[in-house]
Amino acid sequence: MPQHPPRDMRVRLAKSRQTWLGIALPALATLVAANILINVWQSWRDLTAADALAAQRLDVQTSLIEKNIRDRIDALNGTIGVARTLIDAGGLTDASLRTLAATLRDSMGNIDIAVFDADRHVRAESRAGVSNALPELAAALTRMDTRAPTERWTPVQWRQNGAVLISADNRDRTGALNAVIVVFVPLEQHLLDGVTLAPGTAIRLLDSAQRLIARYPLAASVTLGERAPDTATRRPGPVEGTAFVSSRTDGIERLVASRRIGVGQPLAYWTLEVGYAVRTYRRDLRFSVYLNAAGAACVLIMLIGGTLLVRREKALREHVARYTQMISTIVENMPTPVAMIDATANDILLANAALLDTFGALAADGQPFSRLFGHADDWSSLRENPTDEPVPMLARGGTRHMLVRCTRLPPNQAFDTDSILVTLADVSRHHQLLKQLRTAADFDPLTGLANRRYFASAAEHAVDQARRLHRPLSVLALDLDFFKRVNDTWGHAVGDRVLQIAARLFEASLRDDDLAARVGGEEFLALLLDTDLAQAQTIAERVRLAIQDTPIMLDSGKTLSQTVSIGIALFLETEADLTGAQERADAALYAAKQAGRNRVTVAAVDASDTSSSA
């Protein structure tokens, strides 16, 4: 047997292809990194923009509050000025002070005014007994300097709110102290009139000694009038005049704007601090940042998952490659022919050495697999309907009968398309022996036609094919007319000769694909494949005429004429087998004999199976 060069079957089957995920993974990693950087940059940019916008709004709001405070300071300075005028003009009375206090009620609330002489005795007051109710009044009067002009603005605790106690001197023309003016201003919410505060706003008003004058909101840990400890850390804000302040008292970080407001003496001043809670005005932005972070985290997790999948796939492909290499080694060294066939194109994808040794170049890669069969249609039939019957195949040494086994395989690492694994087993010797045995068992020894057993087997295959392909199938039932007279008159030897000649004429009148069989003494049947009733009638008439017109020579030199009666029936796809068609053909044959013999009768195809004569 000629040797073929070794085929690298294992290399082809074990070859692994990198998937699209493995190819795209570096690009995905780059995109994920870029996405994270873009999200970080966008979040930082949004954060900066939000801080700048909040700082601008804070600056405007601080300016409004500062204006309110300055207006009230100016009003209080005017009040002190009016009180001095009353003192100098001699018009100072309780009534005049009540009138003066009433003019400030709408803007400043309920303020109290009292005037004392140089000895600290009450000269007039806007409300009876007010001098006894004012907090820290004695200390304020004591601090008044008799030698130099003095004006003090002192924060004091007043109920739940703070207040400011203003003490100012009044001097005569010689510069001597002749009166002390005291104005008591409760700091309620009038400082914020006309100002709409943003959520989370906090306000502090401190004097130059860092004592707390007013606060918003009201609840706080530092008592009004006490020194406010500087326990906050600061860093520059986005706009000049602002700062980020983290309070150690409440733990809240605020964006704070400050203003310095002069009061009283030239070196005295108040400090206004207005702050926005950073977490409040960044709330919406924080939600957006969290979404971006969550999105980036999801993409990162997907990237990590993809990396793990690629590694897992690589390990699986290596495992498959090792397994495939082992399998391919086994297949390559199998002594029987094996091939991989493209299930769509029916071309050979791969063939082992045994297949090439058996069939030669016809079994090379890319060749149509059907070319290896004696009948190309056998391959199509075997794919759909596997059989245990051997089929003829065109081997290098001639026609060989092979058992064909087909296994459908899904797309795999080696082949992108569906494929069929085909294994062949050479049973030519067994087939020849079986054929010889079947010849003795399946054919009539007198006429050489198929016997009843072989006809029944052939009828099953014919019925399956007719039903599968939806093609017509007809049956002929033939009987020799008056055959008993031949045996009775001329003997059984002449009868056998008549049977032989009639059988030869019968088979010769049929087509190559038709099957003639002897099923009784003078009874015959025929299977007419792919034949309707009209075609079957034509064939039956040809048989009848061939037998009628052929004289049969006897040994004595005399001749005999023989006629036949024929019944025809059509197989119906609704029937399970050929039994019904045979019965209808026999009924048509009986009708032909009843009608005078030597004729063809066709069985009707209606439900009642009635017959009609031709």
Side-chain angles (χ1 to χ4, degrees), residues 440 443-449 451 500 518:
F443 291 90
D444 177 47
L446 177 65
T447 62
L449 298 181
N451 59 18
Q500 290 174 335
R518 182 189 179 197

Side-chain angles (χ1 to χ4, degrees), residues 36-47:
I36 293 175
L37 290 176
I38 290 172
N39 283 339
V40 170
W41 176 81
Q42 182 66 42
S43 297
W44 175 83
R45 186 174 178 275
D46 292 343
L47 182 66

Side-chain angles (χ1 to χ4, degrees), residues 40-107:
V40 170
W41 176 81
Q42 182 66 42
S43 297
W44 175 83
R45 186 174 178 275
D46 292 343
L47 182 66
T48 303
D51 288 341
L53 181 63
Q56 293 173 2
R57 183 177 180 183
L58 179 63
D59 183 71
V60 172
Q61 196 163 61
T62 304
S63 297
L64 292 174
I65 298 173
E66 178 189 11
K67 182 178 181 302
N68 278 359
I69 294 174
R70 288 187 184 277
D71 289 344
R72 284 153 179 76
I73 290 174
D74 291 342
L76 291 173
N77 286 329
T79 300
I80 294 172
V82 171
R84 283 179 174 149
T85 301
L86 291 173
I87 294 170
D88 293 341
L92 180 65
T93 63
D94 291 344
S96 63
L97 290 183
R98 281 195 298 271
T99 301
L100 180 59
T103 60
L104 297 175
R105 185 173 293 117
D106 290 340
S107 60

Side-chain angles (χ1 to χ4, degrees), residues 454-512:
Y454 186 84
F455 182 85
S457 176
E460 291 181 4
H461 292 287
V463 166
D464 289 340
Q465 181 176 347
R467 184 181 290 113
R468 185 175 67 255
L469 301 178
H470 303 290
R471 303 300 299 171
L473 173 65
S474 295
V475 180
L476 296 186
L478 182 148
D479 188 86
L480 301 183
D481 295 332
F482 302 112
F483 181 71
K484 186 175 182 303
R485 292 181 185 178
V486 175
N487 281 331
D488 293 343
T489 303
W490 304 100
H492 288 283
V494 173
D496 289 345
R497 181 173 178 80
V498 171
L499 288 173
Q500 290 174 335
I501 293 174
R504 177 171 54 81
L505 294 173
F506 181 29
E507 186 176 32
S509 300
L510 300 179
R511 301 165 302 182
D512 292 341

Side-chain angles (χ1 to χ4, degrees), residues 120-199:
R120 283 40 173 191
H121 297 130
V122 178
R123 292 180 56 183
E125 53 187 357
S126 62
R127 180 167 55 88
V130 69
S131 58
N132 297 323
L134 295 180
E136 299 190 26
L137 176 60
L141 294 175
T142 301
R143 288 193 295 266
M144 298 302 296
D145 193 344
T146 60
R147 293 168 296 177
T150 303
E151 182 176 326
R152 295 181 182 278
W153 296 58
T154 305
V156 295
Q157 178 70 32
W158 177 251
R159 298 175 183 172
Q160 293 182 351
N161 302 314
V164 175
L165 184 67
I166 305 172
S167 56
D169 58 4
N170 187 70
R171 297 181 183 272
D172 59 17
R173 292 181 181 180
T174 64
L177 179 66
N178 62 0
V180 176
I181 305 168
V182 176
V183 181
F184 182 77
V185 185
L187 292 179
E188 298 173 345
Q189 299 305 307
H190 295 281
L191 293 177
L192 303 177
D193 287 349
V195 179
T196 302
L197 299 179

